[in-house]
Amino acid sequence: MSGVDLYRTVRLIRRFEERAIEFVRSGEIVGGIHPYIGEEAVAAGVCAALRPSDVITSTHRGHGHVLARGVDPARLLAELMGRETGLNKGRGGSMHAADFGLGILGANAIVGAAASIATGAAWAYGRQGRDTVAATFFGDGAMNEGMLLEAFNLAALWRVPVIFVCENNGYATTMPVASAVAGSITGRARAFGIPAFTVDGQDPEKVLAATASAVERACAGKGPTFLECTTYRFDAHHTFEHRTRLTYRSTEEVSAGWSRDPVEIQGARLAAAERAAVDAEVEALLDAAAGDALGSAHPDPAAALEYLYASPEVMR
């Protein structure tokens, strides 16, 4: 992927999230979102290294991951608004976006749970003879979840082609990582014999390079890789903070985080005219997406039980 493409991805994610916050404030998105602002380089770099045959699993903070994987912004925005044209017909919402056609096996609101799904999927695809690598995203807060450690164990034992991507933004909601994780984050993965690396998660090109190496290793049958991407969340853990004004981070700390903005880091690698053209392209795309989403119908309440069961018959 070119530098322009990487910039387009981080810019798209940033502006999508900023617009989504506006729709939360207007009431078009009910219940709020977990903004990905500040962490865009991780999604952009990881997904740029993946092939069409590969898959991802995501988190409650998953908009950036699915956009970087190529999802239609109009369908994602419609999903956030609970509209019929959404990725999951308005029934998944912000924390459960999925598109199997693009290899997006779903975002997951349960901390650490998506890693076990990715590990199982990659193992199953391998049994079917498919050349598929799975990348799974999770935060530093997931490092204390048993499901994640079990996934490490099986992935290492079975040499599963999975890439564990820890987005270490320094906080599990409001708890600093130093207060929650004993030892080192990479040390947890190395204890299972998984090669683990710390990557600058604010630089899309560095994330891309590290992920490309992990993909190559997985394709060679060498098993899982763990990437700790050190990043920083510029906005709230959840938009409810915009009202409650939690004070677990100082103004100085947040300002320091903004000094390494992934959009600016990647944008600085482009010529001014090139960057302006991408910015205009992204705005036009999101203008159209907003129009499409707002023009889409809400699901019929009478169909609330559809898609809940594997059987075509609705249980009553």
Side-chain angles (χ1 to χ4, degrees), residues 232-274:
Y232 194 76
R233 169 171 52 77
F234 296 168
D235 207 282
H237 167 71
H238 187 276
T239 48
F240 80 86
E241 286 184 29
H242 294 167
R243 293 188 177 184
T244 58
R245 305 293 182 184
L246 298 180
T247 56
Y248 58 96
R249 303 188 297 182
S250 68
T251 302
E252 292 75 18
E253 178 185 317
V254 177
S255 295
W258 273 102
S259 70
R260 299 204 69 241
D261 184 345
V263 176
E264 295 302 320
I265 288 172
Q266 190 61 30
R269 294 171 175 147
L270 276 60
E274 199 171 36

Side-chain angles (χ1 to χ4, degrees), residues 210-223:
T211 309
S213 295
V215 170
E216 182 179 0
R217 184 173 182 277
C219 291
K222 296 181 180 179

Side-chain angles (χ1 to χ4, degrees), residues 24-138:
V24 169
R25 289 171 176 160
S26 70
E28 293 291 346
I29 295 176
V30 178
I33 64 170
H34 297 81
Y36 195 64
I37 294 172
E39 303 182 32
E40 297 91 348
V42 182
V46 169
C47 290
L50 300 178
R51 306 159 302 165
S53 60
D54 297 332
V55 299
I56 68 168
T57 62
S58 181
T59 70
H60 56 279
R61 198 182 312 282
H63 306 161
H65 307 145
V66 299
L67 286 168
R69 188 58 180 160
V71 84
D72 179 356
R75 294 186 64 208
L76 178 58
L77 189 56
E79 186 62 33
L80 269 56
M81 293 182 179
R83 307 298 180 101
E84 275 284 359
T85 57
L87 285 172
N88 311 117
K89 297 186 180 294
R91 290 153 169 87
S94 174
M95 295 189 285
H96 299 95
D99 188 334
F100 282 26
L102 291 174
I104 302 167
L105 303 188
N108 197 314
I110 301 173
V111 175
S116 58
I117 295 172
T119 301
W123 176 82
Y125 291 144
R127 297 279 289 181
Q128 296 169 3
R130 291 174 53 177
D131 179 22
T132 300
V133 174
T136 181
F137 298 90
F138 48 90

Side-chain angles (χ1 to χ4, degrees), residues 255-306:
S255 295
W258 273 102
S259 70
R260 299 204 69 241
D261 184 345
V263 176
E264 295 302 320
I265 288 172
Q266 190 61 30
R269 294 171 175 147
L270 276 60
E274 199 171 36
R275 181 174 179 179
V278 172
D279 291 350
E281 175 190 336
V282 167
E283 291 307 310
L285 177 63
L286 292 177
D287 283 344
D292 289 347
L294 289 168
S296 178
H298 290 281
D300 183 351
L305 295 182
E306 290 183 2

